[in-house]
Amino acid sequence: MTVLSEEYIRKTYFEIVGGFPSLPIIQEVQEYDGGPKACIACTQLPGKELEQFYAGSRKCYTKKEQKAVLKEWVDFLSAKTDSLEAIHFNSFVPQELFDAACCQENLTELRVKWGGIKDLSGLKKLRKLRYLCLGSCRGLADLSPLAELKDLVVMDFAGKQSFTDYSALAGLKNLEQLIIDGPFAGGYTVIDDLEFLRQMPQLRSLGLGAVSLKRKYSKEELRDILDSMPDVHEMGSRIF
């Protein structure tokens, strides 16, 4: 029995622009309303030097205040571990903020716009996680912690990555949608090969956008890979 609706099988689960339509993007912990979802942008805050430019329409922060806002979120997410079921981070995510989010024991959905994440091992604690989107994380080299996410349904790589080995994804036996795309500003995400897809016959939705393969495949080989996923809806990929 599949989890994704027919609508999501034929399009990406995560929209191009992050956030929850009914909720505002918040910057400080005091703005959080206590609900199960939050769209957070607690880094890249406008500095005091921009105060005149914003003319009071947006709060501006000293560097000390910017650090305090980030620390407050790290402390909150690390301590109030049953608060949230879904988080979208709409600004840069440093490692400490990512690790704090991984303390949220009820989290089913996590979106990272982009970040300085080098270690995904915190994800092992998210036993309920079903939907994960990772934007560009240039320092990330190892995807093996993803194999621990046995209930993951959607994996979306939205942006250029530093790693090229995606073989760990073969262990995600409940994954229904896989999206791998390149940066919005142009360029490609490099992938070693597509052999891991042969071990994922359960996939229902596959999107390979601006990607470049190290291994060269013939048309027949690519067709054979696609045939190994008999129920997949191939969403306009440039590879096949």
Side-chain angles (χ1 to χ4, degrees):
M1 181 178 178
T2 62
V3 174
L4 291 182
S5 67
E6 289 297 318
E7 177 186 11
Y8 284 130
I9 287 171
R10 287 172 169 75
K11 72 170 191 177
T12 59
Y13 176 87
F14 289 99
E15 302 290 342
I16 293 177
V17 179
F20 304 100
S22 61
L23 297 176
I25 297 174
I26 59 176
Q27 296 174 334
E28 300 181 33
V29 171
Q30 65 182 5
E31 299 174 72
Y32 170 54
D33 64 4
K37 299 179 179 181
C39 183
I40 303 167
C42 61
T43 63
Q44 300 178 275
L45 301 173
K48 281 291 187 180
E49 69 277 6
L50 298 175
E51 208 161 31
Q52 186 176 7
F53 174 79
Y54 284 109
S57 64
R58 187 177 180 185
K59 184 176 179 179
C60 296
Y61 299 80
T62 64
K63 290 184 177 180
K64 183 178 180 180
E65 288 171 337
Q66 291 172 351
K67 291 179 180 179
V69 169
L70 173 59
K71 183 179 185 303
E72 191 174 24
W73 274 112
V74 170
D75 292 345
F76 174 81
L77 293 171
S78 301
K80 304 291 186 179
T81 59
D82 60 351
S83 300
L84 288 154
E85 297 175 8
I87 298 174
H88 285 194
F89 286 118
N90 269 32
S91 61
F92 182 84
V93 178
Q95 184 71 50
E96 64 266 34
L97 182 60
F98 177 80
D99 289 340
C102 290
C103 294
Q104 291 295 303
E105 57 195 30
N106 293 321
L107 209 64
T108 61
E109 178 172 329
L110 176 62
R111 176 177 184 143
V112 173
K113 183 178 181 180
W114 71 299
I117 302 166
K118 296 182 179 180
D119 181 8
L120 294 177
S121 59
L123 290 173
K124 297 177 181 180
K125 295 185 287 187
L126 299 180
R127 299 299 183 185
K128 298 181 181 180
L129 196 67
R130 286 194 164 191
Y131 312 99
L132 176 61
C133 179
L134 285 178
S136 297
C137 297
R138 299 295 180 87
L140 186 58
D142 180 19
L143 291 185
S144 60
L146 291 179
E148 300 290 327
L149 302 176
K150 301 302 183 183
D151 291 328
L152 201 65
V153 174
V154 172
M155 182 66 248
D156 189 327
F157 294 99
K160 190 172 184 178
Q161 309 291 351
S162 56
F163 51 87
T164 59
D165 181 5
Y166 288 76
S167 60
L169 300 181
L172 301 175
K173 299 305 181 183
N174 287 308
L175 199 72
E176 296 179 16
Q177 181 171 97
L178 174 61
I179 307 295
I180 304 175
D181 209 345
F184 297 127
Y188 292 86
T189 289
V190 178
I191 303 176
D192 287 343
D193 59 60
L194 299 177
E195 296 307 299
F196 62 93
L197 292 176
R198 298 183 189 276
Q199 302 175 57
M200 305 179 75
Q202 81 285 354
L203 277 180
R204 301 292 309 281
S205 180
L206 175 66
L208 301 176
V211 302
S212 175
L213 297 176
K214 286 186 177 180
R215 173 172 171 173
K216 302 303 180 184
Y217 287 93
S218 67
K219 290 183 179 180
E220 292 75 18
E221 288 173 325
L222 289 173
R223 175 52 58 184
D224 185 59
I225 291 174
L226 203 56
D227 287 346
S228 69
M229 301 170 285
D231 299 319
V232 78
H233 179 80
E234 193 267 316
M235 300 184 298
S237 299
R238 304 181 187 183
I239 298 298
F240 297 104

